[in-house]
Amino acid sequence: MGTDAQNQHDGPDAAPPGSPSLRGTPSAPGTLTAVPQADQNSLSPSAGGRAVAPTTEPAPKPTTDVSSGPPRPAHVRPVPLAELALQLKTDAPAGTEDAAATGITHDSRAVRPGDVYAALPGARFHGADFASQAASLGAVAVLTDPAGTERSAATGLPVLTVPDPRGRMGALAAAIYGEPGKDLLQIGITGTSGKTTTAYLIEGGLRKAAEKAGDLTGLIGTVESRIGDERLKSERTTPEATDLQALFAVMRERGVTSVAMEVSSHALVLGRVDGSVFDVAVFNNLSPEHLDFHPDMEDYFRAKRQLFTRARSRAGVVNFDDEYGQRLLTESEVPVTTFSAEGHPDADWRAEDVQVGPLGSTFTAVGPKDESVRAAAPIAGPFNVANALAALTALVVAGIDPQTAADGIASVPGVPGRLERVDAGQDYLAIVDYAHKPDAVESVLYAMRKVTDGRVHAVLGCGGDRDPHKRPAMGSALARLADTAVLTSDNPRSEDPLAILATMLAGAAEVPAYERGTVVMEEDRGAAIRLAVARAEPGDTVLVLGKGHELGQDIAGVVRPFDDIAVLREAIRLKQEEAGAAAAAAMPPRTPTNGTDA
C-alpha cells in the first residue's frame, strides 16, 4: 500500500529569477510514505496537534484532522495530459488526446478521480507496484521513471516517463493547480533552531498587515498548517510537493494572500519545495543536527543554501551573527538583508536596548536608514530576540511597514511547545520546550537561569534512531547547567531506552563533580516529570525539554499518547493536592465546646 520514493534530489531546473519587488494584495485517506524521513512527525493520525494558544491554558486541537487527508482545492481547471507531457519534454503517450488532470499525488491510496499518480522509485518498493490501485481509484495517468514504465503501462493508463519523476513532481503539481504560489506572498524560513517560532512571528506580522484589507494569512510548519483560522495537523515540517501545491491552491481559493512557511533541509534535498519560488528566504542559524540524514555539516549547509538560489527565492534575510550566515552572505545568489540580535553595526537591522524578561523581551530595532522601531519578542529567552528580529526584517523586506510588522509580532500569544508556560497556580515556573539538540538545550537553560531566582530542575531525553553523536553532549549540557538533571526517555523508537540513557549519562559523567548538578536517571518520562516537580520550591523553574508540541511517544514502534504539557500540569496538580492533604493532616484537632457562647 502507498508509495513514496524519498530519493535525494539536488534541486529543480532553474526558474527565472523574477522581480525583486514583492506583490501587492490581489475525504481522502492520509498520505503515507514507504521510507519515513528523519523530519517526519512520528505521531499517529489520531494524536492531533496543539494549536497556538495563550501559554497558560491548554491549547486547542486542530479543526481538521490529518486523517481527512491533505486538503485539495474545490475547483481546478482540467489540464490536458498533452500539455503536461509538453511541460515534461516527453512524448505524449497514447490515450492522452482527450484526457485531462485535475490533481496529482505520490500516494496510491490518496488518489482521487482525475489525478496523475506519481510512481516514484523507493528504497524497498517502486511506486509502479501500486499503479493498479491508483487506476482503480480514478487516476488518469502515471508519472514515473523508465524502471516503472512497463508496470505502470500494464494498468492501461497513459504513462508519462521521465528520468527523475521526483524532480519534476513539484513543478507539475504547480502547473496542475494553476501556479497557486504566484498569487501568494511566500516567506520561507530555514535553519537549525528557531524555524517554528520565526514562522509564527512572521505570520503574526502578516496577519496584522492583512487586517485592513480583510485578507487571510497562512502558516505551514512543524506543528500545524493554518488556512486563516483553520488548523490542520502537520505530518512533517514541510509537506511533499504534491500536497504543498494543493495546499497553496486551497489557501488561494479561501482568500489567503500571504504565507509563512518552514523549509527543512530534507524538503530542499528531496524536492518538496520544487515548483515554489519564495519572495523572501530567511536563514536563522546552523548547528549540528540531522547528521543521520546529512553526512556532514558541509552537506547540511549546502542543503540550506539551496533556498538562496534564484531557482528558490527572490530575496534573502540572513543572520549576521551566525558563522554560516556570514558564509551565506558571500554565496547567496539573491540580494540579502542582514539582521543582528547582538547589535553589530554592520548589519542592516540590529537590536539595541534589549531588555530580557521572564516571559518575553523588548528591544529597539534599528534599520539601515536609521529607522527606529520599538519591538517585542513575546516569548522568553534572548535567542527569541533573534527570532523576532529575523521576523521583522523579513516582513520589512516583503514590503510591510516596520511598525506594523513589530506590532503583529508582539501580538503573537505563544508558540506551541516553544518555552510554553504551564501555569496551574504553583509558586514556581514550569516550562515545556522542544529543545532536542545540544545548542538548543544550552540556550534554553541559560535563558531560564537568567530569570530564575531559585534552582532549575530539567528533564531531557534523546530520540532513538536519530543522530547518536549528540547524546553525550546533551547529557553533559543538562548536568552542567541544571541543578537537577533528570535523564529520561524521549522517543526511543526501535532502540533500547536504557542504552540511550547510558550514553547520555556518560556525557554527564564527563562534567567535573564540582560543576554538575544532581543527576538522576528515570526511564519512565511521566515519572521523570513528577520527580522534577517534586523537587520544585518557590522561585524555582521546572523545564521539560525535547518533545515540545508532540502528543505521542514512540516506544518499540508503538506510538502511545503522551503530552508533556498535560503530564506536567497533572504532576503540578498532584503535588498541590499532596501538599494540601499534608497541611490538613498537620493541623491540630478541633477542641469540642459545650455548646455555650463565650
Side-chain angles (χ1 to χ4, degrees):
M1 292 178 61
T3 72
D4 185 86
Q6 304 292 7
N7 278 356
Q8 290 195 5
H9 171 61
D10 291 333
D13 294 335
S19 164
S21 120
L22 306 179
R23 318 176 181 93
T25 303
S27 67
T31 300
L32 299 184
T33 58
V35 186
Q37 292 302 318
D39 70 331
Q40 189 170 339
N41 196 316
S42 63
L43 300 185
S44 63
S46 62
R50 185 182 295 108
V52 173
T55 55
T56 57
E57 297 295 333
K61 303 302 186 246
T63 56
T64 301
D65 192 84
V66 71
S67 59
S68 63
R72 297 275 197 103
H75 306 287
V76 179
R77 179 187 70 84
V79 181
L81 292 185
E83 185 177 319
L84 297 180
L86 185 64
Q87 177 176 328
L88 293 168
K89 299 179 181 177
T90 188
D91 294 333
T96 60
E97 295 79 4
D98 300 318
T102 54
I104 181 172
T105 181
H106 59 286
D107 183 350
S108 61
R109 297 157 302 175
V111 168
R112 302 185 187 186
D115 276 359
V116 171
Y117 168 53
L120 309 175
R124 291 179 296 166
F125 305 102
H126 196 292
D129 296 331
F130 310 99
S132 59
Q133 182 184 26
S136 69
L137 292 173
V140 295
V142 179
L143 170 69
T144 192
D145 61 0
T149 299
E150 185 176 343
R151 280 170 284 176
S152 299
T155 64
L157 293 175
V159 180
L160 302 167
T161 301
V162 293
D164 178 17
R166 170 171 282 283
R168 309 304 298 276
M169 192 169 67
L172 201 66
I176 289 172
Y177 294 120
E179 304 291 344
K182 291 184 177 179
D183 297 313
L184 302 172
L185 168 62
Q186 301 174 68
I187 301 179
I189 306 99
T190 200
T192 302
S193 300
K195 293 191 298 296
T196 298
T197 297
T198 305
Y200 273 89
L201 298 179
I202 289 174
E203 197 266 347
L206 292 174
R207 186 171 288 225
K208 189 72 173 179
E211 283 177 355
K212 294 180 181 179
D215 295 328
L216 299 179
T217 58
L219 175 74
I220 302 173
T222 302
V223 178
E224 64 182 351
S225 291
R226 285 193 199 169
I227 305 171
D229 290 326
E230 182 181 3
R231 292 174 162 92
L232 301 90
K233 177 184 172 292
S234 293
E235 283 295 290
R236 50 169 64 87
T237 298
T238 310
E240 286 291 353
T242 53
D243 299 331
L244 177 61
Q245 295 300 325
L247 182 55
F248 282 160
V250 172
M251 288 182 173
R252 177 181 62 184
E253 195 171 68
R254 298 187 188 176
V256 169
T257 58
S258 57
V259 59
M261 175 179 164
E262 296 181 56
V263 183
S264 67
S265 61
H266 295 73
L268 291 160
V269 171
L270 297 172
R272 294 178 190 161
V273 291
D274 288 359
S276 301
V277 181
F278 291 90
D279 296 292
V280 183
V282 181
F283 176 84
N284 279 347
N285 50 65
L286 202 72
S287 61
E289 175 72 332
H290 300 306
L291 297 182
D292 51 341
F293 180 77
H294 299 284
D296 50 38
M297 286 296 292
E298 178 64 21
D299 185 79
Y300 188 26
F301 172 75
R302 287 199 303 266
K304 297 291 189 182
R305 187 180 60 190
Q306 285 188 40
L307 191 59
F308 296 81
T309 62
R310 285 185 291 272
R312 302 281 195 193
S313 64
R314 296 185 174 90
V317 168
V318 172
N319 185 356
F320 192 88
D321 301 327
D322 184 81
E323 174 187 355
Y324 284 96
Q326 285 289 324
R327 178 175 167 185
L328 191 55
L329 295 182
T330 64
E331 297 184 20
S332 172
E333 294 180 9
V334 298
V336 167
T337 301
T338 58
F339 66 92
S340 170
E342 297 176 5
H344 198 289
D346 292 338
D348 296 306
W349 283 88
R350 62 189 184 275
E352 296 183 352
D353 305 320
V354 177
Q355 301 293 322
V356 178
L359 300 179
S361 306
T362 60
F363 62 97
T364 299
V366 180
K369 300 177 183 177
D370 290 328
E371 306 98 319
S372 181
V373 179
R374 197 60 186 162
I379 310 166
F383 48 86
N384 279 315
V385 173
N387 293 332
L389 185 60
L392 188 146
T393 305
L395 291 162
V396 171
V397 171
I400 293 172
D401 170 71
Q403 191 60 61
T404 300
D407 292 345
I409 291 167
S411 70
V412 174
V415 179
R418 274 64 179 175
L419 287 178
E420 187 168 355
R421 186 181 175 194
V422 177
D423 189 350
Q426 76 276 12
D427 50 9
Y428 49 90
L429 196 59
I431 298 287
V432 168
D433 191 78
Y434 189 53
H436 59 282
K437 44 191 172 286
D439 287 355
V441 170
E442 288 187 1
S443 294
V444 169
L445 285 165
Y446 277 125
M448 299 320 299
R449 277 213 165 277
K450 289 183 178 180
V451 297
T452 300
D453 295 329
R455 298 180 300 163
V456 174
H457 314 281
V459 178
L460 177 69
C462 290
D465 300 335
R466 298 293 186 266
D467 178 15
H469 300 98
K470 67 183 181 182
R471 295 171 186 171
M474 290 174 68
S476 172
L478 204 71
R480 189 175 69 257
L481 297 173
D483 296 287
T484 305
V486 186
L487 309 180
T488 190
S489 290
D490 189 292
N491 292 308
R493 300 183 176 89
S494 70
E495 290 194 59
D496 181 347
L498 289 180
I500 297 174
L501 284 170
T503 309
M504 294 183 69
L505 182 61
E510 292 178 359
V511 180
Y514 64 88
E515 289 184 11
R516 67 174 180 249
T518 300
V519 178
V520 182
M521 279 209 325
E522 172 53 67
E523 179 184 348
D524 182 280
R525 190 173 181 88
I529 292 171
R530 292 189 293 273
L531 190 155
V533 168
R535 288 173 170 255
E537 297 178 355
D540 288 357
T541 292
V542 174
L543 276 173
V544 180
L545 304 175
K547 291 175 62 59
H549 63 281
E550 294 178 1
L551 297 178
Q553 188 175 23
D554 187 336
I555 303 174
V558 178
V559 180
R560 299 164 171 83
F562 196 98
D563 181 352
D564 278 354
I565 292 281
V567 174
L568 178 55
R569 188 182 299 279
E570 178 65 9
I572 294 169
R573 186 190 67 79
L574 288 173
K575 180 178 180 178
Q576 291 169 332
E577 286 185 357
E578 291 170 359
M587 290 180 64
R590 295 181 61 185
T591 303
T593 66
N594 60 9
T596 59
D597 293 333

